[in-house]
Amino acid sequence: MRRSSAQPMVYASFLIALGILIPIMMPVRIVIGPASYTLGSHIPVMLAMFISPKVAVMVALGTAFGFFLTAPFIIVMRAFTHVVFAYFGALYLEMSPQSIQSNKRIWVFNVVLGVLHAACEVLVVTIFFMMDNSGEAVYTPAFFQTVIVLVGFGGFIHSLIDFSLSLIIARKIGNRFKFPTFLEATK
């Protein structure tokens, strides 16, 4: 069955709307300095990765703009880095759709995605940290605790959890909604 050319746009629109609503409505939200953890906030972007790189980038950009409504500027800038992991994650899934059928391969993917996700956010927060303080600030315990532990390690764990939730959802709806990754994986 041929997919409609409007179908990816509809998916992107729905996922962007969901991605804007989650940070506004989610009761489970922890904010510690530049680190913030909203359970499920990455799910729309991660679901978009199962559709296509283009949709994943559109959803990442749309949800980042949505963070302007609810978050401080540094968190908005962290959200814009989601374009990087969304694009490369979607590209991998497009090139290797059969990986979703292997628990080992999808967990390795999840870990690599989490590292990329956390590294991009650490880079953004490091730039802000250095702009607020002198360059010497990167050697302080506050830098290590704030940037490396809270944003880096915390972001990595948050990414692992949200991708796991996304995978559960995608496995339930992927074939029904004709996500390309699932259609290709079953060929």
Side-chain angles (χ1 to χ4, degrees):
M1 180 176 175
R2 189 176 157 270
R3 284 187 341 154
S4 163
S5 61
Q7 191 174 26
M9 188 64 75
V10 171
Y11 287 150
S13 300
F14 174 75
L15 291 170
I16 290 168
L18 189 60
I20 291 170
L21 282 175
I22 288 172
I24 293 171
M25 305 299 284
M26 183 59 73
V28 180
R29 183 181 205 170
I30 301 167
V31 178
I32 306 169
S36 68
Y37 313 101
T38 304
L39 182 64
S41 61
H42 302 108
I43 289 175
V45 174
M46 292 174 170
L47 283 175
M49 293 187 319
F50 293 101
I51 300 167
S52 75
K54 182 180 176 181
V55 171
V57 168
M58 288 189 314
V59 173
L61 288 172
T63 57
F65 281 115
F67 271 91
F68 274 117
L69 303 171
T70 62
F73 186 68
I74 192 167
I75 294 173
V76 172
M77 294 311 295
R78 283 179 43 219
F80 274 112
T81 69
H82 295 171
V83 169
V84 176
F85 84 76
Y87 175 75
F88 287 109
L91 192 61
Y92 173 79
L93 290 171
E94 184 177 74
M95 293 169 49
S96 300
Q98 68 282 0
S99 65
I100 63 170
Q101 295 176 329
S102 164
N103 285 334
K104 182 180 177 184
R105 286 181 69 187
I106 204 67
W107 273 103
V108 170
F109 171 75
N110 190 2
V111 169
V112 171
L113 190 73
V115 168
L116 179 61
H117 182 175
C120 289
E121 291 193 10
V122 164
L123 178 63
V124 166
V125 175
T126 299
I127 291 167
F128 275 85
F129 200 88
M130 291 176 72
M131 287 172 43
D132 285 347
N133 302 305
S134 68
E136 298 165 12
V138 296
Y139 301 109
T140 67
F143 172 81
F144 181 79
Q145 184 177 19
T146 302
V147 179
I148 304 302
V149 174
L150 291 176
V151 176
F153 184 70
F156 173 72
I157 298 301
H158 186 196
S159 183
L160 291 178
I161 292 168
D162 277 1
F163 183 77
S164 297
L165 295 171
S166 300
L167 184 61
I168 290 168
I169 294 166
R171 284 182 171 161
K172 296 277 186 206
I173 68 171
N175 284 322
R176 181 178 298 149
F177 286 97
K178 298 178 177 52
F179 287 178
T181 300
F182 285 86
L183 295 178
E184 289 297 317
T186 56
K187 281 186 179 179

